[in-house]
Amino acid sequence: MEAVGKGDNNPEDCPVCLTGFDDLMQRPHTMPCGHTVCTLCIDKLKEQGHVTCPECRVSHAVPKGGHFPVCYTLEAVLRMMRNIKVAAAAASLPPSAEEGKGAAGVAVKKETMDLSKKMRSFLEEQEATVMATITACQKAQSQLDEYQKSLTNWGERQQQLEDRLQGLMDQSKSARELVQQEGSRAAAMGEEVKRGEQGLHNVLETLRTPATDQEAGVAVAEVFRCIGEAEQMVEECQQCFPDASTITVVRKVREASSAAAQAIQAALETHHIVIKEEVHPQSDPEEPRPQADLDFTILDRVQLIMMLSWKQAEDLRSLTQPNRTLLQDGLVFAVHQVEDQRRHAKISFEDGRLYLHALREHPQPLGMATLQMSEFVPPSPPCTVFLDLSWPGSAPRQVQIHLSQDTPWGRQLVMLCTGQHGPSYINTLSAKVRNKGQTGEWMSFGDGFGASDLLPELDVGKYKTSGKAGAVFWLVDEEHWNACGQFGIFTRDCQCKCESTRVFGEVVDGLHVVAEAAQHSNIKEVTVVDCGIVLRD
């Protein structure tokens, strides 16, 4: 039995019954896990429409028709092996070997088998492949175990948070009940005060109608009584209301609940990356898989997701080395697919900052790690976008624009810097320079879109008016700007009120680059060679 132990099975034999495969009753059937069992054994292993693999213990549903597919490749290899060795096997095996169906017969068969060098080499290659796959499975299992531990820890922390939120809800409910009780008490006291006031009005009438001294005395006595009761009610009202304890509890619970609600809302508005499995086209089965892709483990992806989550204050220095290497090598891409069009946007790590570049239809490099784009690109400002400008005699230099408030033009600028909806500012030109060399100098960008369909109603929204250097704006009196994505940047302060400008952003880095571009002799040579959005400062 030791000769046919698990991991050392003869490829000609079924690993369950240790009997050689044949072309009739014991044909080799391959399960989804890759292991092969003969017809008779796989039928015996069937239980309630499932078969548990005897090698890896994975359960598989029985396919329609009741049979797993026959491994024709293995049958062909076995036939070839039998044809090559039939003469030698017949001469070397004793007659008893023909009858041996147990482990001893198999052991004798293995000892006396004479394989060709080519076949031995082939089997050794297959063994090495199997061992490498086993190692990969073990690594994957280790990663899944660690990931499961992380998920368990997150679940426990989430449960603790739910308990705290539930406690806050209970406190809020108690505070609401206190408010209702106080309201009922105040309403009851109000009714008493109202009745006292009505009594005083009635007494007032009696003071105006007495006919005799005796009636006047009775009226005065009634006045004294009603005034005393009313004054007592007013005094009780002043002493009993408000209930300081109720007000204090309600105020504290309201402040805590409001802070928690704002924190939850901010968390819900945070955009997270979703890992998207890359579907590669069919390739040569002998072509090795890129090593970088294998090194990009499950936990690396988790860490990268956590780090790239929009508006999350995560320190870039906490990046693991595999993630940092992939980013520095330009091997992390965001995937964006609309219908049948699939494009990629590179995510780069430069000077301690993360940048998402505009989508392009460039070829996929080997070993790339892919993330889905739509989940972590901000749908609207506040955010920071960038343009890389270049002109003859000048290397590309970057201009960063911060969009501090949510406006239609700000959303459009994000859309055109990322290319999510088709066009982007890449390869567009500068249109013109106004007031060149004078106060109020500004330069326009975005020439070359033509009649692109952009966002409607760009003039709707709260815009500032400013002529300060660095202000990013669109002009109300130039309607064609709305249709082609053009915008302007002041390079020098303007002394006028600039009522026609609608400011939606500010240059926070690279204003000197725009100023130099404005002085170039041919302004239409100034080109946007790249653009995108700053994911993390």
Side-chain angles (χ1 to χ4, degrees), residues 134 156 158 218 303 414 440:
I134 290 174
E156 292 174 352
Q158 193 66 28
V218 173
Q303 194 269 348
V414 173

Coordinates of all heavy atoms in Angstrom, one line a residue, residues 134 156 158 218 303 414 440:
I134 N -0.1 22.9 -6.0 CA -0.4 22.7 -4.6 C 0.1 23.8 -3.8 O -0.6 24.3 -2.8 CB 0.2 21.3 -4.2 CG1 -0.5 20.2 -4.8 CG2 0.2 21.2 -2.7 CD1 0.1 18.8 -4.6
E156 N -16.8 41.8 14.4 CA -16.9 42.1 15.9 C -16.9 43.6 16.1 O -17.7 44.1 17.0 CB -15.7 41.5 16.6 CG -15.8 39.9 16.5 CD -14.5 39.3 17.1 OE1 -13.6 40.1 17.4 OE2 -14.5 38.1 17.3
Q158 N -17.9 45.9 14.1 CA -19.2 46.4 13.6 C -20.3 46.1 14.6 O -21.2 46.9 14.8 CB -19.5 45.8 12.2 CG -20.7 46.4 11.5 CD -20.3 47.9 11.1 OE1 -19.1 48.2 10.8 NE2 -21.3 48.7 11.0
V218 N -69.4 91.0 48.4 CA -69.3 89.6 47.9 C -68.4 89.5 46.7 O -67.6 88.6 46.5 CB -70.7 89.0 47.6 CG1 -70.6 87.7 46.9 CG2 -71.6 88.9 48.8
Q303 N -5.6 45.8 1.3 CA -4.8 46.9 1.8 C -4.9 48.1 0.8 O -5.1 49.3 1.2 CB -3.4 46.6 2.1 CG -2.6 47.6 2.9 CD -1.9 48.6 2.1 OE1 -1.8 48.5 0.9 NE2 -1.4 49.6 2.7
V414 N -14.4 67.4 -13.6 CA -14.0 66.1 -13.2 C -14.2 65.1 -14.3 O -13.4 64.2 -14.6 CB -14.8 65.7 -11.9 CG1 -14.5 64.3 -11.5 CG2 -14.4 66.6 -10.7
G440 N -5.2 91.5 -15.3 CA -6.3 90.8 -15.7 C -6.0 89.8 -16.8 O -7.0 89.3 -17.5

